[in-house]
Amino acid sequence: MELARSSPTPSWRATWLAEAQTHPWTSAGLALAIAVTAWLLVASLARVAAGEAEAGLRLGLLGGLAGFAATALGALPALLLRNLSSRTEDTLLGLAAGMMLAASSFSLILPGLAAGEEISGSRALGAAVVVVGLALGALLMLGLDQFTPHEHTHGGPCGAGCERIGRVWLFVFAIALHNLPEGMAIGVAFSQGDMDVGLPLASAIALQDIPEGLAVAMALKAAGLSPLRAVGIAAASGLMEPVGALLGVGLASGLALAYPIGLGLAAGAMIFVVSHEVIPETHRNGHQTPATLGLMAGFAVMMVLDTALG
């Protein structure tokens, strides 16, 4: 009797094409967001290359490096901690989510509305420009979430081709997807060299990176990694923030409208991550109340920071 042959594993290209056919609107939205983002980036890089955005580039890179340092600092206690209760972890993530939401509102959307109104001469048109940016940010993260293989702590593997990649790398990709919009937000906020916009946002993101770094390192330990390796990977994940910051500076340093669009894009990406990933993650274990209280505390802390530093 002839043995049944196992079907060959589809190629990456075949996997992504199949995913695109299954989710045509998502793939179209991702393509649109990438095209517009690339166009803004190319138009802006010329100005950066000419040295006209030197201050913004320097401040954005420093802000991104601060986020990386805070992530590494937060991960270090995982070397000594044996475990972290899920209640504590969900509360810490709720705190980070609240700070991200407040940063999106006070340090990205409000300055974007002001810049859009100043450029267009109309409140309605200024708001429309920021809404376009919000939509692009959401589309970009939706597409990346759909087509990038990754895994969340309790959500299981997802994304095209996730069955081909080891669990540790799936975690790494998930962290990268989370940290990229934070870095972009820092870069966009500093792109005009405006400390009143950039400093509160960079401070808030760095602060929320500390509990986030600890939560990531403990999750990697729970996945079976040694403490040293878990801390190393969690710390290295923070490198996405200076990378994202450079992207954000390039994105919003050229065309006049690129600045409010870039602020909206960064805000849309961060709000998407909070709603799509962080909040559901904090509610999976039945700790909705401490997670929500943590979110409100984080929102309040960021509001005070924005008032004091802005």
Side-chain angles (χ1 to χ4, degrees):
M1 182 174 62
E2 184 179 355
L3 295 175
R5 295 181 180 178
S6 59
S7 58
T9 304
S11 65
W12 281 107
R13 183 172 180 273
T15 301
W16 283 329
L17 284 175
E19 193 73 22
Q21 291 172 357
T22 306
H23 304 278
W25 289 108
T26 301
S27 59
L30 176 62
L32 175 63
I34 290 176
V36 175
T37 302
W39 173 68
L40 290 173
L41 184 59
V42 170
S44 301
L45 282 177
R47 185 166 178 253
V48 174
E52 298 176 20
E54 184 178 349
L57 188 64
R58 182 177 65 254
L59 291 172
L61 181 58
L62 288 174
L65 289 173
F68 161 65
T71 302
L73 179 65
L76 282 176
L79 290 171
L80 302 176
L81 292 174
R82 297 188 62 181
N83 56 54
L84 192 67
S85 70
S86 59
R87 180 188 181 93
T88 302
E89 182 179 343
D90 290 341
T91 303
L92 290 176
L93 288 176
L95 181 74
M99 297 188 78
M100 290 175 70
L101 286 176
S104 300
S105 302
F106 297 117
S107 296
L108 293 173
I109 292 177
L110 289 183
L113 290 172
E117 180 182 354
E118 182 180 352
I119 292 168
S120 67
S122 165
R123 285 189 177 183
L125 288 177
V129 168
V130 176
V131 168
V132 168
L134 284 167
L136 287 173
L139 285 173
L140 182 63
M141 295 311 299
L142 178 62
L144 290 176
D145 181 78
Q146 188 69 52
F147 290 97
T148 303
H150 59 286
E151 178 176 1
H152 303 292
T153 310
H154 304 290
C158 52
C162 61
E163 69 281 352
R164 296 169 174 268
I165 299 177
R167 192 179 182 199
V168 171
W169 282 106
L170 289 174
F171 272 127
V172 171
F173 288 149
I175 300 165
L177 286 176
H178 182 93
N179 286 344
L180 180 63
E182 294 179 5
M184 289 177 61
I186 292 173
V188 171
F190 276 124
S191 63
Q192 305 299 304
D194 189 346
M195 292 291 287
D196 288 343
V197 175
L199 184 59
L201 178 68
S203 301
I205 289 179
L207 282 175
Q208 65 91 29
D209 278 335
I210 295 175
E212 189 177 270
L214 176 60
V216 168
M218 297 303 293
L220 289 171
K221 280 180 64 176
L225 272 68
S226 67
L228 186 60
R229 192 178 178 200
V231 169
I233 291 176
S237 72
L239 289 172
M240 287 303 298
E241 297 208 12
V243 172
L246 293 176
L247 178 62
V249 171
L251 179 65
S253 294
L255 303 174
L257 278 178
Y259 181 56
I261 290 176
L263 288 169
L265 189 152
M270 288 180 64
I271 293 170
F272 180 92
V273 168
V274 170
S275 178
H276 193 69
E277 298 177 9
V278 182
I279 290 177
E281 197 75 27
T282 63
H283 288 200
R284 292 185 194 277
N285 300 310
H287 302 137
Q288 294 91 331
T289 299
T292 301
L293 292 176
L295 184 147
M296 295 178 69
F299 194 98
V301 167
M302 176 54 204
M303 183 175 64
V304 172
L305 275 175
D306 188 81
T307 303
L309 301 177

